[in-house]
Amino acid sequence: MRQLRWIGIVAILISLSVFVAACGGDDDDDDDDVTSSDDDDSDGDDDVADDDDDDTSSDDDTAGDDDTASDDDVAPFVEPDERGPYEVGVRTIYLTDESRYYEDDERSRVLPLEIWYPTDEDDGQINTAPDMVGDLPDWALTALELAYQDRFDDLWSLETSAWRDAEISEDQPADGFPVILFSHGLTAIRFQNYTLCEHLASHGFVVVAPDHYGNAIFTNFPGGFKFFDALSFATSYIDRPKDVDFIRERLIDFDDDASSDWYGKLNMEIFGVTGHSYGGMTSLQIGAYRDYAQAIAPLTPGWIGPLPEDFRTPTLLLQSDNDSILPGNMNTTIKEKFDESTMDFKVYIQLQNAGHYAPSDACALFPPFMLTPSVGCDGSQIDPALSNAIVSAYVTAFFKSALLGDTRYDDYLGANHYPDDMEYSATLP
């Protein structure tokens, strides 16, 4: 038994190191310029096209489509770069997709789900890293202590701004809160962007984030523990969209179930997807090939294959200028495909002096051996607090406008508020 535990410890450490190996080396300068989508503005800065100059700041004007918020249900306006009007609750649930059974694991696919949501509570149990990780076997906890060394106490004492297991807010839109799904990166974990998820929840969104079974660094759940599976690098291209489909269907069930805490709380007609790295590719897949997502926000995504010619899902694409984690010219190719797309609503951000992990909470969560210069936690790149602020503000404004039709946020989307730290372009409807 002791030998098996040490095998498990070594496996966790190997899984952690796979993250670095799979993602390549340190970020190097990328000589390929990212061009603006506007032929008259080749530097990519502050390039904003607005097809309706008179419709960017009205407090009462929301889109008239059936899948957007009604005029009688407009939330108070709060600037997207500020904390929203709600306190934030968070809870963890576990879903099992019985339709996908793994003989080797002798179990069906388990999807731990972190859910951030608006709450009226402003006191209680503050959310911590151990809450999100969950109860670990002793040997797994020992493995984490070995991996994190002097940083383990920092990780295990980490607190976020959410209240664990708080009551869901009663102050909700008539049709329930809109829903956003966040998809983590390769060998990452569902709460890798807790800062963004909590910010969105404070602005009235319910944000759900799964561990993609076998593709997360580990999947921890009652009665089981799954290490990262290297084969999932390929199989997740198919499995991740199925995860999103399954989670969405379960959320619909929760909203319809009178015995559920979520009964009548979720507006599943308003659904967006965001994600980082491999999760950014997942959001692109959903936006391109599923009709239930009204907007997507891929963050430093990978991508394989063409986008459909009729791809018109409103999209915020964020990249980093010093991202060499993605292989070859993938960043340039993705940007070219984005520029060629014909959607009426597109926003582009390129973070400056930033690496692949800038739009995430990697600096708070990674173990020391993964904090290479490519992560940018050593002061050599953009301040992680600043990059998180940029991502939170623009993604919030984008989803407020693209999902809810709230054009009050177009004023924010219509400008580069961080000209020293990002290049920016936008086409607004």
Side-chain angles (χ1 to χ4, degrees):
M1 180 65 70
R2 181 174 298 177
Q3 181 180 12
L4 289 176
R5 287 179 178 176
W6 276 107
I7 290 173
I9 289 172
V10 172
I12 283 185
L13 296 176
I14 291 173
S15 295
L16 285 166
S17 64
V18 164
F19 182 88
V20 178
C23 293
D26 295 345
D27 283 320
D28 300 317
D29 290 336
D30 188 349
D31 293 332
D32 294 324
D33 293 334
V34 176
T35 59
S36 166
S37 59
D38 189 330
D39 293 337
D40 296 328
D41 186 4
S42 59
D43 65 5
D45 290 335
D46 302 317
D47 177 24
V48 181
D50 193 332
D51 296 333
D52 188 352
D53 294 335
D54 296 326
D55 190 22
T56 58
S57 61
S58 170
D59 288 347
D60 298 320
D61 187 13
T62 57
D65 294 338
D66 291 338
D67 56 358
T68 57
S70 69
D71 291 342
D72 295 332
D73 202 26
V74 176
F77 178 79
V78 177
E79 291 289 348
D81 56 2
E82 299 176 2
R83 187 78 167 184
Y86 293 98
E87 291 291 326
V88 177
V90 61
R91 59 184 64 177
T92 308
I93 66 172
Y94 302 89
L95 305 179
T96 301
D97 185 352
E98 302 289 353
S99 70
R100 289 183 283 174
Y101 184 82
Y102 299 97
E103 296 287 348
D104 291 344
D105 295 344
E106 297 183 340
R107 70 170 64 95
S108 297
R109 188 174 180 88
V110 181
L111 299 170
L113 201 66
E114 210 72 11
I115 308 179
W116 293 268
Y117 52 90
T119 182
D120 302 322
E121 298 182 21
D122 58 3
D123 194 8
Q125 179 185 342
I126 197 69
N127 185 50
T128 67
D131 291 326
M132 295 184 288
V133 171
D135 293 333
L136 290 172
D138 290 343
W139 60 265
L141 187 60
T142 299
L144 284 183
E145 291 173 345
L146 288 173
Y148 280 82
Q149 303 175 37
D150 293 341
R151 289 199 75 214
F152 179 78
D153 287 342
D154 293 336
L155 172 72
W156 227 234
S157 62
L158 182 139
E159 296 181 348
T160 79
S161 63
W163 302 105
R164 171 61 53 173
D165 296 324
E167 295 293 326
I168 306 164
S169 176
E170 296 294 333
D171 182 18
Q172 67 184 58
D175 294 329
F177 294 110
V179 178
I180 296 171
L181 184 140
F182 176 85
S183 178
H184 66 72
L186 174 72
T187 65
I189 204 159
R190 65 186 184 277
F191 48 85
Q192 66 157 78
N193 276 63
Y194 64 84
T195 297
L196 170 62
C197 295
E198 292 181 1
H199 190 81
L200 286 166
S202 79
H203 280 267
F205 295 97
V206 170
V207 185
V208 298
D211 279 336
H212 295 288
Y213 185 83
N215 198 243
I217 187 64
F218 59 79
T219 306
N220 182 36
F221 51 93
F225 192 96
K226 172 71 174 178
F227 295 113
F228 168 73
D229 182 348
L231 290 176
S232 72
F233 184 89
T235 59
S236 281
Y237 189 76
I238 296 173
D239 280 326
R240 281 167 165 260
K242 289 182 178 180
D243 289 345
V244 180
D245 295 341
F246 174 75
I247 291 166
R248 178 177 170 272
E249 289 300 321
R250 289 304 309 275
L251 293 176
I252 292 173
D253 292 341
F254 292 163
D255 186 58
D256 291 338
D257 182 358
S259 66
S260 168
D261 288 348
W262 299 101
Y263 179 58
K265 298 285 187 182
L266 305 174
N267 187 346
M268 296 305 298
E269 296 299 318
I270 302 180
F271 190 83
V273 182
T274 184
H276 175 252
S277 192
Y278 206 129
M281 181 163 66
T282 301
S283 65
L284 279 167
Q285 288 177 278
I286 298 298
Y289 298 107
R290 300 291 194 273
D291 59 8
Y292 57 70
Q294 289 87 38
I296 60 172
L299 312 175
T300 57
W303 182 247
I304 301 172
L307 289 170
E309 291 184 5
D310 60 350
F311 177 56
R312 298 181 60 83
T313 304
T315 302
L316 180 152
L317 171 64
L318 183 142
Q319 296 182 314
S320 294
D321 71 334
N322 195 23
D323 184 346
S324 65
I325 296 298
L326 297 178
N329 293 323
M330 185 174 285
N331 263 325
T332 303
T333 301
I334 293 168
K335 179 58 165 57
E336 290 173 350
K337 293 180 183 297
F338 178 74
D339 289 342
E340 293 168 0
S341 63
T342 59
M343 75 275 290
D344 297 325
F345 197 152
K346 60 167 69 175
V347 175
Y348 179 73
I349 296 171
Q350 186 192 67
L351 295 176
Q352 300 297 290
N353 189 32
H356 186 69
Y357 305 102
S360 75
D361 288 301
C363 291
L365 298 175
F366 277 11
F369 71 86
M370 293 173 65
L371 294 179
T372 61
S374 67
V375 182
C377 303
D378 59 356
S380 63
Q381 298 184 26
I382 189 171
D383 185 340
L386 175 58
S387 57
N388 264 313
I390 292 172
V391 173
S392 295
Y394 276 96
V395 171
T396 297
F398 171 72
F399 279 132
K400 282 283 191 177
S401 181
L403 282 181
L404 304 183
D406 193 338
T407 58
R408 294 174 297 178
Y409 290 87
D410 289 359
D411 278 349
Y412 194 89
L413 292 173
N416 183 347
H417 300 275
Y418 300 89
D420 294 334
D421 301 294
M422 70 181 207
E423 294 186 356
Y424 184 73
S425 64
T427 300
L428 308 180

